[in-house]
């Protein structure tokens, strides 16, 4: 308590002396607004990040083609998502159980069990068209009616050598 009181007295004694020593003190607002015109110099890298880039359809197609050339073993297609859950205690084992059941009943379809925090997801197949994926989803619903609420077609990167 005594040191706090001493500090307060020192500050109150020094503050008027500092103000008297600098009578022409200018605030930052007054300094940057002087002349009525403000300018901000941005590095080019920062300016590029701030500019919103709108991609045309042609540019999107070119980007997709370049990605396909860079990774010729994969392309955009469809998969059937059979399971998605984030329960840390049961999701992994439930997904594995469903994966085994589907793989034994439909050996022609590749299954993909992936963990992307916080979700475990089970996807089936490598379909080039939505119609192929919809047909497979219907087969899965018929074979596994208990899974039907979770079965849905999703856009994904596929392995063209798959189904």
């Amino acid at each position: 308590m005594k040191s706090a009181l001493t500090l307060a007295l020192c500050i109150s004694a020094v503050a008027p002396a500092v103000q008297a020593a600098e009578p022409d003190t200018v605030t930052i607002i007054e300094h940057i607004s002087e002349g009525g015109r403000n300018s901000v110099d941005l590095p080019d890298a920062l300016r590029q990040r701030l500019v919103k880039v709108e991609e045309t359809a042609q540019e999107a197609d070119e980007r997709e083609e370049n990605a396909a050339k860079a990774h010729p073993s994969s392309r955009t297609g469809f998969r059937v998502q059979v399971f998605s859950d984030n329960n840390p205690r049961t999701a992994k084992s439930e997904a594995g159980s469903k994966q085994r059941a589907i793989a034994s009943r439909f050996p022609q379809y590749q299954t993909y069990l992936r963990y992307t925090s916080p979700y475990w997801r089970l996807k089936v197949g490598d379909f080039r068209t939505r119609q192929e994926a919809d047909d497979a989803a219907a087969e899965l619903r018929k074979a596994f009616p208990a899974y039907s609420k979770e079965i849905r077609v999703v856009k994904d990167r596929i392995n063209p050598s798959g189904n």
Side-chain angles (χ1 to χ4, degrees):
M1 177 78 175
K2 192 173 186 178
S3 62
L5 182 59
T6 306
L7 180 62
L9 288 173
C10 288
I11 290 174
S12 63
V14 173
V18 170
Q19 287 177 349
E22 296 182 35
D24 296 336
T25 304
V26 177
T27 67
I28 188 72
I29 303 294
E30 292 167 344
H31 176 73
I32 64 173
S33 299
E34 189 175 307
R37 189 168 184 191
N38 297 332
S39 67
V40 177
D41 294 325
L42 295 175
D44 288 335
L46 180 57
R47 186 180 312 277
Q48 289 173 358
R49 288 183 178 195
L50 294 175
V51 173
K52 183 178 178 182
V53 177
E54 293 186 15
E55 187 174 55
T56 66
Q58 183 179 359
E59 290 170 336
D61 290 343
E62 288 173 5
R63 182 180 43 79
E64 187 68 30
E65 284 176 24
N66 291 337
K69 287 177 187 174
H71 302 286
S73 63
S74 69
R75 64 182 265 195
T76 302
F78 298 92
R79 289 193 172 139
V80 179
Q81 183 171 296
V82 178
F83 178 80
S84 178
D85 193 6
N86 65 350
N87 185 326
R89 295 174 192 240
T90 62
K92 183 178 181 181
S93 62
E94 189 176 346
S97 172
K98 288 182 178 185
Q99 182 181 31
R100 287 186 295 279
I102 291 169
S104 68
R105 181 80 182 260
F106 296 99
Q108 71 272 27
Y109 296 143
Q110 181 68 39
T111 58
Y112 301 92
L113 180 57
R114 301 277 190 264
Y115 177 73
T116 306
S117 183
Y119 287 93
W120 281 95
R121 290 190 172 97
L122 174 62
K123 296 178 185 176
V124 176
D126 293 298
F127 305 103
R128 290 181 177 91
T129 67
R130 176 135 193 137
Q131 185 58 50
E132 290 175 350
D134 285 335
D135 294 344
E139 282 184 87
L140 289 165
R141 280 188 194 96
K142 187 175 180 183
F144 300 101
Y147 303 171
S148 64
K149 284 188 177 184
E150 289 189 75
I151 294 176
R152 64 189 186 103
V153 175
V154 294
K155 202 169 197 179
D156 206 345
R157 294 296 257 166
I158 64 167
N159 301 317
S161 60
N163 302 357

